[in-house]
Amino acid sequence: MNRSRSLLSALVVVLGIALAVTLYVRGDDATDAVFDSQASAVPSTIVPPQTATVVPSGMLVTAGDQHHVVPHAVGARWLPTGQVLLAVERKEPGYLAQVHRLYDPVRGTFSGSTITGQLDLPDDATTSISYIDGHRLLRWNLALTTRHVVTLPTKPRSKGSGEVVRSYAARPVTVDGATFVRFSEVENEEKTLSYGVMRIAADGSTSDVLKGDRITRLRVSADGRSLLAVQQHRGEPCGGCVVRQDVVEIDPADGKIVGTYGAPPGYSKQWRITRLDKVGGTVAVRYEGSCVTGDLACIPKQHGTWTYRDGAWSKVAGSERTETWWQGRDDRIVRRADRNVLKTPLEWLHDGRREGLDGFLADADNNTGDVAGGLLRPAS
C-alpha cells in the first residue's frame, strides 16, 4: 500500500512539472482555442500569377496572361475583386500630387472615383476601401462608386489639466460590416491619457472598445473573416518600439479580444510582425528583424512564417529563406526573403514548374508593389 502511494505521489509530481513546463513554453497569456469567426468569407478572384511589380516606367500589373504597364504608379493594393488599387503620381501646379485609382488588369482601364488627399493605401480592403480624414471616416465600396462618410467623435473623454486632443490613426480596417480604427487622447501633445480602438458599425454608430489594451496594429485575414491584431505586451502602445508583441484576435461583433495566441517559442522583442493571416482554425504570422538603417537596401534577419493551431506554434519549413503568397491550392508566388528586396525577383510556382516574373516589389525611390494572396493555402 505504501509503495502504491509513493508511486502515485511521484506520478502527481511528474505531471505537475510537465504542466508547469508546458505553461512556461507557451506563455501565460496564450489560449488553446482559435476563435471560430462567424463572419462570412469574402469571395475572391485571383488569376495566377497576379502581381503588381515596380518597373522603370511605372507599375507592371499582371493577371494571368494579361500584362499592363501603368505609368507613374508608385504603389499598389490588390482587392478580392481581382482589381488593384494604385497610387498614381500626378503633376499639379507647383507640386507633385498622389491619387488613388482602381485599375482593371484584364481590360487595362481605370474605373470608379479618383481618391485625392491620401498618402497611404488602405490595408486589407476585403469588403470596403476606408480612409481617415481628420475626424471623418471615408468608407467606399470596392468599386469606388459609392461613399459613406461618418463623422467621428472629437470631444475627448479623458480629463487633464491642459489641452486634451482626441485623434485617430490612419489605416482603418473593415470586417463583417464594422470598421475599426485606433484612437488616442493626448494632453499638451505629449502625455497620453487614454487609447483604444473605435468600432464604427455599418449604420455609422460608434463605440470605444479595447480601451487600454495596447493594440498597435489591426489586420484582416485574406478571406475577410477574421480581425487579427498586434498587442504590445506591456506599457503604452508605441508602434515601432522594440518591445514584446503578441498576436490576438478580436470579435468583429463586439470588439472584444476572443483569442490570445501569444508568440512562438524562441521569440524575442526584436522580432517584428510583417504579415498576419488566418484560414479556418490556423493563424499565420510572418516575422523578421528590424533594419537599424531604415532603408530598403538593408536585409533584415528572417525569422520565418509561424502557424498557431490547437495551442501550439510551428514554423513553416524553409520560410526563413522564402516568403510565400498563396493564390490557389496549387499556385503560389515566392520570393527569396533573405536577399535584397530591390534585387530579388518574384517567381510563380505551379504545375511543378517555376517561372520568373518581371519587376520587383520595391525600388530605391520607395515605390512598392503588391502580390495578391495570403500566407496560408486557401481552404478551397
mmCIF file with all atom_site columns, all heavy atoms in Angstrom, residues 274-301:
data_model
loop_
_atom_site.group_PDB
_atom_site.id
_atom_site.type_symbol
_atom_site.label_atom_id
_atom_site.label_alt_id
_atom_site.label_comp_id
_atom_site.label_asym_id
_atom_site.label_entity_id
_atom_site.label_seq_id
_atom_site.pdbx_PDB_ins_code
_atom_site.Cartn_x
_atom_site.Cartn_y
_atom_site.Cartn_z
_atom_site.occupancy
_atom_site.B_iso_or_equiv
_atom_site.pdbx_formal_charge
_atom_site.auth_seq_id
_atom_site.auth_comp_id
_atom_site.auth_asym_id
_atom_site.auth_atom_id
_atom_site.pdbx_PDB_model_num
ATOM 1   N N   . THR A 1 274 ? 5.421   41.179 -39.787 1.00 0.00 ? 274 THR A N   1
ATOM 2   C CA  . THR A 1 274 ? 5.255   41.842 -41.082 1.00 0.00 ? 274 THR A CA  1
ATOM 3   C C   . THR A 1 274 ? 3.966   41.443 -41.793 1.00 0.00 ? 274 THR A C   1
ATOM 4   O O   . THR A 1 274 ? 3.443   42.218 -42.599 1.00 0.00 ? 274 THR A O   1
ATOM 5   C CB  . THR A 1 274 ? 6.448   41.535 -42.002 1.00 0.00 ? 274 THR A CB  1
ATOM 6   O OG1 . THR A 1 274 ? 6.537   40.109 -42.215 1.00 0.00 ? 274 THR A OG1 1
ATOM 7   C CG2 . THR A 1 274 ? 7.759   42.025 -41.385 1.00 0.00 ? 274 THR A CG2 1
ATOM 8   N N   . ARG A 1 275 ? 3.436   40.243 -41.514 1.00 0.00 ? 275 ARG A N   1
ATOM 9   C CA  . ARG A 1 275 ? 2.180   39.817 -42.126 1.00 0.00 ? 275 ARG A CA  1
ATOM 10  C C   . ARG A 1 275 ? 1.398   38.968 -41.128 1.00 0.00 ? 275 ARG A C   1
ATOM 11  O O   . ARG A 1 275 ? 1.993   38.267 -40.298 1.00 0.00 ? 275 ARG A O   1
ATOM 12  C CB  . ARG A 1 275 ? 2.428   38.999 -43.405 1.00 0.00 ? 275 ARG A CB  1
ATOM 13  C CG  . ARG A 1 275 ? 3.049   39.794 -44.550 1.00 0.00 ? 275 ARG A CG  1
ATOM 14  C CD  . ARG A 1 275 ? 3.426   38.890 -45.711 1.00 0.00 ? 275 ARG A CD  1
ATOM 15  N NE  . ARG A 1 275 ? 2.267   38.234 -46.314 1.00 0.00 ? 275 ARG A NE  1
ATOM 16  C CZ  . ARG A 1 275 ? 2.361   37.254 -47.225 1.00 0.00 ? 275 ARG A CZ  1
ATOM 17  N NH1 . ARG A 1 275 ? 3.538   36.802 -47.607 1.00 0.00 ? 275 ARG A NH1 1
ATOM 18  N NH2 . ARG A 1 275 ? 1.258   36.725 -47.735 1.00 0.00 ? 275 ARG A NH2 1
ATOM 19  N N   . LEU A 1 276 ? 0.061   39.052 -41.228 1.00 0.00 ? 276 LEU A N   1
ATOM 20  C CA  . LEU A 1 276 ? -0.832  38.237 -40.401 1.00 0.00 ? 276 LEU A CA  1
ATOM 21  C C   . LEU A 1 276 ? -1.917  37.654 -41.296 1.00 0.00 ? 276 LEU A C   1
ATOM 22  O O   . LEU A 1 276 ? -2.393  38.313 -42.211 1.00 0.00 ? 276 LEU A O   1
ATOM 23  C CB  . LEU A 1 276 ? -1.504  39.102 -39.324 1.00 0.00 ? 276 LEU A CB  1
ATOM 24  C CG  . LEU A 1 276 ? -0.724  39.434 -38.058 1.00 0.00 ? 276 LEU A CG  1
ATOM 25  C CD1 . LEU A 1 276 ? -1.427  40.548 -37.296 1.00 0.00 ? 276 LEU A CD1 1
ATOM 26  C CD2 . LEU A 1 276 ? -0.594  38.209 -37.174 1.00 0.00 ? 276 LEU A CD2 1
ATOM 27  N N   . ASP A 1 277 ? -2.330  36.424 -41.002 1.00 0.00 ? 277 ASP A N   1
ATOM 28  C CA  . ASP A 1 277 ? -3.395  35.810 -41.783 1.00 0.00 ? 277 ASP A CA  1
ATOM 29  C C   . ASP A 1 277 ? -4.024  34.692 -40.965 1.00 0.00 ? 277 ASP A C   1
ATOM 30  O O   . ASP A 1 277 ? -3.494  34.278 -39.920 1.00 0.00 ? 277 ASP A O   1
ATOM 31  C CB  . ASP A 1 277 ? -2.842  35.263 -43.107 1.00 0.00 ? 277 ASP A CB  1
ATOM 32  C CG  . ASP A 1 277 ? -3.914  35.092 -44.177 1.00 0.00 ? 277 ASP A CG  1
ATOM 33  O OD1 . ASP A 1 277 ? -5.082  35.431 -43.914 1.00 0.00 ? 277 ASP A OD1 1
ATOM 34  O OD2 . ASP A 1 277 ? -3.590  34.631 -45.285 1.00 0.00 ? 277 ASP A OD2 1
ATOM 35  N N   . LYS A 1 278 ? -5.166  34.214 -41.444 1.00 0.00 ? 278 LYS A N   1
ATOM 36  C CA  . LYS A 1 278 ? -5.850  33.116 -40.775 1.00 0.00 ? 278 LYS A CA  1
ATOM 37  C C   . LYS A 1 278 ? -6.743  32.409 -41.782 1.00 0.00 ? 278 LYS A C   1
ATOM 38  O O   . LYS A 1 278 ? -7.431  33.051 -42.580 1.00 0.00 ? 278 LYS A O   1
ATOM 39  C CB  . LYS A 1 278 ? -6.695  33.643 -39.617 1.00 0.00 ? 278 LYS A CB  1
ATOM 40  C CG  . LYS A 1 278 ? -7.474  32.564 -38.858 1.00 0.00 ? 278 LYS A CG  1
ATOM 41  C CD  . LYS A 1 278 ? -8.362  33.188 -37.804 1.00 0.00 ? 278 LYS A CD  1
ATOM 42  C CE  . LYS A 1 278 ? -9.290  32.140 -37.189 1.00 0.00 ? 278 LYS A CE  1
ATOM 43  N NZ  . LYS A 1 278 ? -10.284 32.747 -36.274 1.00 0.00 ? 278 LYS A NZ  1
ATOM 44  N N   . VAL A 1 279 ? -6.715  31.093 -41.755 1.00 0.00 ? 279 VAL A N   1
ATOM 45  C CA  . VAL A 1 279 ? -7.619  30.265 -42.543 1.00 0.00 ? 279 VAL A CA  1
ATOM 46  C C   . VAL A 1 279 ? -8.171  29.191 -41.618 1.00 0.00 ? 279 VAL A C   1
ATOM 47  O O   . VAL A 1 279 ? -7.408  28.403 -41.044 1.00 0.00 ? 279 VAL A O   1
ATOM 48  C CB  . VAL A 1 279 ? -6.924  29.616 -43.755 1.00 0.00 ? 279 VAL A CB  1
ATOM 49  C CG1 . VAL A 1 279 ? -7.864  28.621 -44.435 1.00 0.00 ? 279 VAL A CG1 1
ATOM 50  C CG2 . VAL A 1 279 ? -6.476  30.672 -44.761 1.00 0.00 ? 279 VAL A CG2 1
ATOM 51  N N   . GLY A 1 280 ? -9.506  29.157 -41.451 1.00 0.00 ? 280 GLY A N   1
ATOM 52  C CA  . GLY A 1 280 ? -10.106 28.172 -40.559 1.00 0.00 ? 280 GLY A CA  1
ATOM 53  C C   . GLY A 1 280 ? -9.585  28.322 -39.148 1.00 0.00 ? 280 GLY A C   1
ATOM 54  O O   . GLY A 1 280 ? -9.637  29.396 -38.556 1.00 0.00 ? 280 GLY A O   1
ATOM 55  N N   . GLY A 1 281 ? -9.044  27.247 -38.588 1.00 0.00 ? 281 GLY A N   1
ATOM 56  C CA  . GLY A 1 281 ? -8.519  27.263 -37.230 1.00 0.00 ? 281 GLY A CA  1
ATOM 57  C C   . GLY A 1 281 ? -7.030  27.471 -37.147 1.00 0.00 ? 281 GLY A C   1
ATOM 58  O O   . GLY A 1 281 ? -6.417  27.149 -36.121 1.00 0.00 ? 281 GLY A O   1
ATOM 59  N N   . THR A 1 282 ? -6.422  28.001 -38.200 1.00 0.00 ? 282 THR A N   1
ATOM 60  C CA  . THR A 1 282 ? -4.972  28.211 -38.222 1.00 0.00 ? 282 THR A CA  1
ATOM 61  C C   . THR A 1 282 ? -4.648  29.686 -38.412 1.00 0.00 ? 282 THR A C   1
ATOM 62  O O   . THR A 1 282 ? -5.122  30.319 -39.355 1.00 0.00 ? 282 THR A O   1
ATOM 63  C CB  . THR A 1 282 ? -4.314  27.395 -39.345 1.00 0.00 ? 282 THR A CB  1
ATOM 64  O OG1 . THR A 1 282 ? -4.600  26.007 -39.170 1.00 0.00 ? 282 THR A OG1 1
ATOM 65  C CG2 . THR A 1 282 ? -2.802  27.594 -39.343 1.00 0.00 ? 282 THR A CG2 1
ATOM 66  N N   . VAL A 1 283 ? -3.852  30.217 -37.498 1.00 0.00 ? 283 VAL A N   1
ATOM 67  C CA  . VAL A 1 283 ? -3.367  31.593 -37.587 1.00 0.00 ? 283 VAL A CA  1
ATOM 68  C C   . VAL A 1 283 ? -1.934  31.551 -38.103 1.00 0.00 ? 283 VAL A C   1
ATOM 69  O O   . VAL A 1 283 ? -1.147  30.683 -37.702 1.00 0.00 ? 283 VAL A O   1
ATOM 70  C CB  . VAL A 1 283 ? -3.406  32.288 -36.210 1.00 0.00 ? 283 VAL A CB  1
ATOM 71  C CG1 . VAL A 1 283 ? -2.788  33.681 -36.270 1.00 0.00 ? 283 VAL A CG1 1
ATOM 72  C CG2 . VAL A 1 283 ? -4.833  32.363 -35.708 1.00 0.00 ? 283 VAL A CG2 1
ATOM 73  N N   . ALA A 1 284 ? -1.587  32.471 -39.010 1.00 0.00 ? 284 ALA A N   1
ATOM 74  C CA  . ALA A 1 284 ? -0.231  32.523 -39.563 1.00 0.00 ? 284 ALA A CA  1
ATOM 75  C C   . ALA A 1 284 ? 0.359   33.908 -39.337 1.00 0.00 ? 284 ALA A C   1
ATOM 76  O O   . ALA A 1 284 ? -0.320  34.921 -39.501 1.00 0.00 ? 284 ALA A O   1
ATOM 77  C CB  . ALA A 1 284 ? -0.239  32.191 -41.053 1.00 0.00 ? 284 ALA A CB  1
ATOM 78  N N   . VAL A 1 285 ? 1.632   33.927 -38.947 1.00 0.00 ? 285 VAL A N   1
ATOM 79  C CA  . VAL A 1 285 ? 2.332   35.181 -38.673 1.00 0.00 ? 285 VAL A CA  1
ATOM 80  C C   . VAL A 1 285 ? 3.720   35.100 -39.295 1.00 0.00 ? 285 VAL A C   1
ATOM 81  O O   . VAL A 1 285 ? 4.412   34.085 -39.154 1.00 0.00 ? 285 VAL A O   1
ATOM 82  C CB  . VAL A 1 285 ? 2.473   35.439 -37.155 1.00 0.00 ? 285 VAL A CB  1
ATOM 83  C CG1 . VAL A 1 285 ? 3.013   36.840 -36.899 1.00 0.00 ? 285 VAL A CG1 1
ATOM 84  C CG2 . VAL A 1 285 ? 1.159   35.220 -36.437 1.00 0.00 ? 285 VAL A CG2 1
ATOM 85  N N   . ARG A 1 286 ? 4.116   36.167 -39.993 1.00 0.00 ? 286 ARG A N   1
ATOM 86  C CA  . ARG A 1 286 ? 5.474   36.236 -40.530 1.00 0.00 ? 286 ARG A CA  1
ATOM 87  C C   . ARG A 1 286 ? 6.287   37.237 -39.720 1.00 0.00 ? 286 ARG A C   1
ATOM 88  O O   . ARG A 1 286 ? 5.843   38.357 -39.468 1.00 0.00 ? 286 ARG A O   1
ATOM 89  C CB  . ARG A 1 286 ? 5.471   36.618 -42.006 1.00 0.00 ? 286 ARG A CB  1
ATOM 90  C CG  . ARG A 1 286 ? 6.891   36.622 -42.569 1.00 0.00 ? 286 ARG A CG  1
ATOM 91  C CD  . ARG A 1 286 ? 6.999   36.490 -44.067 1.00 0.00 ? 286 ARG A CD  1
ATOM 92  N NE  . ARG A 1 286 ? 8.396   36.332 -44.436 1.00 0.00 ? 286 ARG A NE  1
ATOM 93  C CZ  . ARG A 1 286 ? 9.054   35.189 -44.479 1.00 0.00 ? 286 ARG A CZ  1
ATOM 94  N NH1 . ARG A 1 286 ? 8.384   34.061 -44.218 1.00 0.00 ? 286 ARG A NH1 1
ATOM 95  N NH2 . ARG A 1 286 ? 10.324  35.131 -44.799 1.00 0.00 ? 286 ARG A NH2 1
ATOM 96  N N   . TYR A 1 287 ? 7.506   36.799 -39.331 1.00 0.00 ? 287 TYR A N   1
ATOM 97  C CA  . TYR A 1 287 ? 8.381   37.617 -38.503 1.00 0.00 ? 287 TYR A CA  1
ATOM 98  C C   . TYR A 1 287 ? 9.697   37.908 -39.228 1.00 0.00 ? 287 TYR A C   1
ATOM 99  O O   . TYR A 1 287 ? 10.228  37.057 -39.949 1.00 0.00 ? 287 TYR A O   1
ATOM 100 C CB  . TYR A 1 287 ? 8.731   36.883 -37.201 1.00 0.00 ? 287 TYR A CB  1
ATOM 101 C CG  . TYR A 1 287 ? 7.592   36.693 -36.236 1.00 0.00 ? 287 TYR A CG  1
ATOM 102 C CD1 . TYR A 1 287 ? 6.843   35.520 -36.247 1.00 0.00 ? 287 TYR A CD1 1
ATOM 103 C CD2 . TYR A 1 287 ? 7.287   37.673 -35.295 1.00 0.00 ? 287 TYR A CD2 1
ATOM 104 C CE1 . TYR A 1 287 ? 5.814   35.338 -35.332 1.00 0.00 ? 287 TYR A CE1 1
ATOM 105 C CE2 . TYR A 1 287 ? 6.252   37.491 -34.385 1.00 0.00 ? 287 TYR A CE2 1
ATOM 106 C CZ  . TYR A 1 287 ? 5.521   36.319 -34.406 1.00 0.00 ? 287 TYR A CZ  1
ATOM 107 O OH  . TYR A 1 287 ? 4.494   36.133 -33.509 1.00 0.00 ? 287 TYR A OH  1
ATOM 108 N N   . GLU A 1 288 ? 10.192  39.116 -39.001 1.00 0.00 ? 288 GLU A N   1
ATOM 109 C CA  . GLU A 1 288 ? 11.546  39.432 -39.426 1.00 0.00 ? 288 GLU A CA  1
ATOM 110 C C   . GLU A 1 288 ? 12.144  40.419 -38.432 1.00 0.00 ? 288 GLU A C   1
ATOM 111 O O   . GLU A 1 288 ? 11.434  41.002 -37.610 1.00 0.00 ? 288 GLU A O   1
ATOM 112 C CB  . GLU A 1 288 ? 11.582  40.002 -40.841 1.00 0.00 ? 288 GLU A CB  1
ATOM 113 C CG  . GLU A 1 288 ? 10.914  41.340 -41.003 1.00 0.00 ? 288 GLU A CG  1
ATOM 114 C CD  . GLU A 1 288 ? 11.010  41.870 -42.435 1.00 0.00 ? 288 GLU A CD  1
ATOM 115 O OE1 . GLU A 1 288 ? 10.991  41.065 -43.379 1.00 0.00 ? 288 GLU A OE1 1
ATOM 116 O OE2 . GLU A 1 288 ? 11.104  43.097 -42.582 1.00 0.00 ? 288 GLU A OE2 1
ATOM 117 N N   . GLY A 1 289 ? 13.465  40.596 -38.502 1.00 0.00 ? 289 GLY A N   1
ATOM 118 C CA  . GLY A 1 289 ? 14.121  41.560 -37.633 1.00 0.00 ? 289 GLY A CA  1
ATOM 119 C C   . GLY A 1 289 ? 13.908  42.968 -38.157 1.00 0.00 ? 289 GLY A C   1
ATOM 120 O O   . GLY A 1 289 ? 13.332  43.177 -39.225 1.00 0.00 ? 289 GLY A O   1
ATOM 121 N N   . SER A 1 290 ? 14.354  43.939 -37.401 1.00 0.00 ? 290 SER A N   1
ATOM 122 C CA  . SER A 1 290 ? 14.226  45.337 -37.821 1.00 0.00 ? 290 SER A CA  1
ATOM 123 C C   . SER A 1 290 ? 15.548  45.822 -38.380 1.00 0.00 ? 290 SER A C   1
ATOM 124 O O   . SER A 1 290 ? 16.618  45.446 -37.900 1.00 0.00 ? 290 SER A O   1
ATOM 125 C CB  . SER A 1 290 ? 13.789  46.220 -36.647 1.00 0.00 ? 290 SER A CB  1
ATOM 126 O OG  . SER A 1 290 ? 14.708  46.106 -35.577 1.00 0.00 ? 290 SER A OG  1
ATOM 127 N N   . CYS A 1 291 ? 15.462  46.665 -39.415 1.00 0.00 ? 291 CYS A N   1
ATOM 128 C CA  . CYS A 1 291 ? 16.659  47.245 -40.020 1.00 0.00 ? 291 CYS A CA  1
ATOM 129 C C   . CYS A 1 291 ? 17.012  48.526 -39.289 1.00 0.00 ? 291 CYS A C   1
ATOM 130 O O   . CYS A 1 291 ? 16.209  49.467 -39.232 1.00 0.00 ? 291 CYS A O   1
ATOM 131 C CB  . CYS A 1 291 ? 16.421  47.541 -41.506 1.00 0.00 ? 291 CYS A CB  1
ATOM 132 S SG  . CYS A 1 291 ? 16.602  46.085 -42.544 1.00 0.00 ? 291 CYS A SG  1
ATOM 133 N N   . VAL A 1 292 ? 18.208  48.569 -38.739 1.00 0.00 ? 292 VAL A N   1
ATOM 134 C CA  . VAL A 1 292 ? 18.625  49.749 -37.990 1.00 0.00 ? 292 VAL A CA  1
ATOM 135 C C   . VAL A 1 292 ? 18.756  50.951 -38.914 1.00 0.00 ? 292 VAL A C   1
ATOM 136 O O   . VAL A 1 292 ? 18.418  52.081 -38.560 1.00 0.00 ? 292 VAL A O   1
ATOM 137 C CB  . VAL A 1 292 ? 19.965  49.478 -37.266 1.00 0.00 ? 292 VAL A CB  1
ATOM 138 C CG1 . VAL A 1 292 ? 20.441  50.729 -36.526 1.00 0.00 ? 292 VAL A CG1 1
ATOM 139 C CG2 . VAL A 1 292 ? 19.818  48.324 -36.297 1.00 0.00 ? 292 VAL A CG2 1
ATOM 140 N N   . THR A 1 293 ? 19.202  50.715 -40.149 1.00 0.00 ? 293 THR A N   1
ATOM 141 C CA  . THR A 1 293 ? 19.414  51.820 -41.085 1.00 0.00 ? 293 THR A CA  1
ATOM 142 C C   . THR A 1 293 ? 18.104  52.391 -41.593 1.00 0.00 ? 293 THR A C   1
ATOM 143 O O   . THR A 1 293 ? 18.039  53.547 -41.987 1.00 0.00 ? 293 THR A O   1
ATOM 144 C CB  . THR A 1 293 ? 20.239  51.355 -42.286 1.00 0.00 ? 293 THR A CB  1
ATOM 145 O OG1 . THR A 1 293 ? 19.538  50.292 -42.959 1.00 0.00 ? 293 THR A OG1 1
ATOM 146 C CG2 . THR A 1 293 ? 21.598  50.845 -41.840 1.00 0.00 ? 293 THR A CG2 1
ATOM 147 N N   . GLY A 1 294 ? 17.034  51.567 -41.629 1.00 0.00 ? 294 GLY A N   1
ATOM 148 C CA  . GLY A 1 294 ? 15.736  52.049 -42.064 1.00 0.00 ? 294 GLY A CA  1
ATOM 149 C C   . GLY A 1 294 ? 15.562  52.148 -43.563 1.00 0.00 ? 294 GLY A C   1
ATOM 150 O O   . GLY A 1 294 ? 14.533  52.612 -44.035 1.00 0.00 ? 294 GLY A O   1
ATOM 151 N N   . ASP A 1 295 ? 16.541  51.719 -44.351 1.00 0.00 ? 295 ASP A N   1
ATOM 152 C CA  . ASP A 1 295 ? 16.394  51.813 -45.811 1.00 0.00 ? 295 ASP A CA  1
ATOM 153 C C   . ASP A 1 295 ? 16.104  50.439 -46.410 1.00 0.00 ? 295 ASP A C   1
ATOM 154 O O   . ASP A 1 295 ? 16.326  49.401 -45.794 1.00 0.00 ? 295 ASP A O   1
ATOM 155 C CB  . ASP A 1 295 ? 17.637  52.427 -46.463 1.00 0.00 ? 295 ASP A CB  1
ATOM 156 C CG  . ASP A 1 295 ? 18.911  51.644 -46.128 1.00 0.00 ? 295 ASP A CG  1
ATOM 157 O OD1 . ASP A 1 295 ? 18.932  50.441 -46.394 1.00 0.00 ? 295 ASP A OD1 1
ATOM 158 O OD2 . ASP A 1 295 ? 19.870  52.245 -45.607 1.00 0.00 ? 295 ASP A OD2 1
ATOM 159 N N   . LEU A 1 296 ? 15.605  50.456 -47.654 1.00 0.00 ? 296 LEU A N   1
ATOM 160 C CA  . LEU A 1 296 ? 15.208  49.204 -48.301 1.00 0.00 ? 296 LEU A CA  1
ATOM 161 C C   . LEU A 1 296 ? 16.396  48.335 -48.683 1.00 0.00 ? 296 LEU A C   1
ATOM 162 O O   . LEU A 1 296 ? 16.240  47.143 -48.934 1.00 0.00 ? 296 LEU A O   1
ATOM 163 C CB  . LEU A 1 296 ? 14.376  49.526 -49.546 1.00 0.00 ? 296 LEU A CB  1
ATOM 164 C CG  . LEU A 1 296 ? 12.955  50.033 -49.271 1.00 0.00 ? 296 LEU A CG  1
ATOM 165 C CD1 . LEU A 1 296 ? 12.302  50.512 -50.558 1.00 0.00 ? 296 LEU A CD1 1
ATOM 166 C CD2 . LEU A 1 296 ? 12.106  48.953 -48.627 1.00 0.00 ? 296 LEU A CD2 1
ATOM 167 N N   . ALA A 1 297 ? 17.584  48.920 -48.753 1.00 0.00 ? 297 ALA A N   1
ATOM 168 C CA  . ALA A 1 297 ? 18.760  48.131 -49.115 1.00 0.00 ? 297 ALA A CA  1
ATOM 169 C C   . ALA A 1 297 ? 19.169  47.188 -47.991 1.00 0.00 ? 297 ALA A C   1
ATOM 170 O O   . ALA A 1 297 ? 19.878  46.211 -48.211 1.00 0.00 ? 297 ALA A O   1
ATOM 171 C CB  . ALA A 1 297 ? 19.922  49.063 -49.475 1.00 0.00 ? 297 ALA A CB  1
ATOM 172 N N   . CYS A 1 298 ? 18.712  47.477 -46.767 1.00 0.00 ? 298 CYS A N   1
ATOM 173 C CA  . CYS A 1 298 ? 19.024  46.612 -45.629 1.00 0.00 ? 298 CYS A CA  1
ATOM 174 C C   . CYS A 1 298 ? 18.303  45.272 -45.775 1.00 0.00 ? 298 CYS A C   1
ATOM 175 O O   . CYS A 1 298 ? 17.160  45.218 -46.233 1.00 0.00 ? 298 CYS A O   1
ATOM 176 C CB  . CYS A 1 298 ? 18.594  47.309 -44.340 1.00 0.00 ? 298 CYS A CB  1
ATOM 177 S SG  . CYS A 1 298 ? 18.660  46.266 -42.873 1.00 0.00 ? 298 CYS A SG  1
ATOM 178 N N   . ILE A 1 299 ? 18.966  44.207 -45.393 1.00 0.00 ? 299 ILE A N   1
ATOM 179 C CA  . ILE A 1 299 ? 18.364  42.871 -45.431 1.00 0.00 ? 299 ILE A CA  1
ATOM 180 C C   . ILE A 1 299 ? 18.079  42.440 -43.997 1.00 0.00 ? 299 ILE A C   1
ATOM 181 O O   . ILE A 1 299 ? 18.980  42.054 -43.264 1.00 0.00 ? 299 ILE A O   1
ATOM 182 C CB  . ILE A 1 299 ? 19.287  41.851 -46.123 1.00 0.00 ? 299 ILE A CB  1
ATOM 183 C CG1 . ILE A 1 299 ? 19.673  42.329 -47.518 1.00 0.00 ? 299 ILE A CG1 1
ATOM 184 C CG2 . ILE A 1 299 ? 18.621  40.483 -46.197 1.00 0.00 ? 299 ILE A CG2 1
ATOM 185 C CD1 . ILE A 1 299 ? 20.695  41.461 -48.208 1.00 0.00 ? 299 ILE A CD1 1
ATOM 186 N N   . PRO A 1 300 ? 16.830  42.537 -43.541 1.00 0.00 ? 300 PRO A N   1
ATOM 187 C CA  . PRO A 1 300 ? 16.533  42.181 -42.147 1.00 0.00 ? 300 PRO A CA  1
ATOM 188 C C   . PRO A 1 300 ? 16.669  40.685 -41.923 1.00 0.00 ? 300 PRO A C   1
ATOM 189 O O   . PRO A 1 300 ? 16.473  39.880 -42.841 1.00 0.00 ? 300 PRO A O   1
ATOM 190 C CB  . PRO A 1 300 ? 15.078  42.623 -41.977 1.00 0.00 ? 300 PRO A CB  1
ATOM 191 C CG  . PRO A 1 300 ? 14.507  42.606 -43.358 1.00 0.00 ? 300 PRO A CG  1
ATOM 192 C CD  . PRO A 1 300 ? 15.631  42.973 -44.276 1.00 0.00 ? 300 PRO A CD  1
ATOM 193 N N   . LYS A 1 301 ? 17.012  40.306 -40.718 1.00 0.00 ? 301 LYS A N   1
ATOM 194 C CA  . LYS A 1 301 ? 17.097  38.895 -40.366 1.00 0.00 ? 301 LYS A CA  1
ATOM 195 C C   . LYS A 1 301 ? 15.711  38.286 -40.458 1.00 0.00 ? 301 LYS A C   1
ATOM 196 O O   . LYS A 1 301 ? 14.737  38.848 -39.953 1.00 0.00 ? 301 LYS A O   1
ATOM 197 C CB  . LYS A 1 301 ? 17.664  38.725 -38.958 1.00 0.00 ? 301 LYS A CB  1
ATOM 198 C CG  . LYS A 1 301 ? 17.798  37.267 -38.526 1.00 0.00 ? 301 LYS A CG  1
ATOM 199 C CD  . LYS A 1 301 ? 18.449  37.151 -37.181 1.00 0.00 ? 301 LYS A CD  1
ATOM 200 C CE  . LYS A 1 301 ? 18.525  35.690 -36.729 1.00 0.00 ? 301 LYS A CE  1
ATOM 201 N NZ  . LYS A 1 301 ? 19.275  34.844 -37.669 1.00 0.00 ? 301 LYS A NZ  1
#
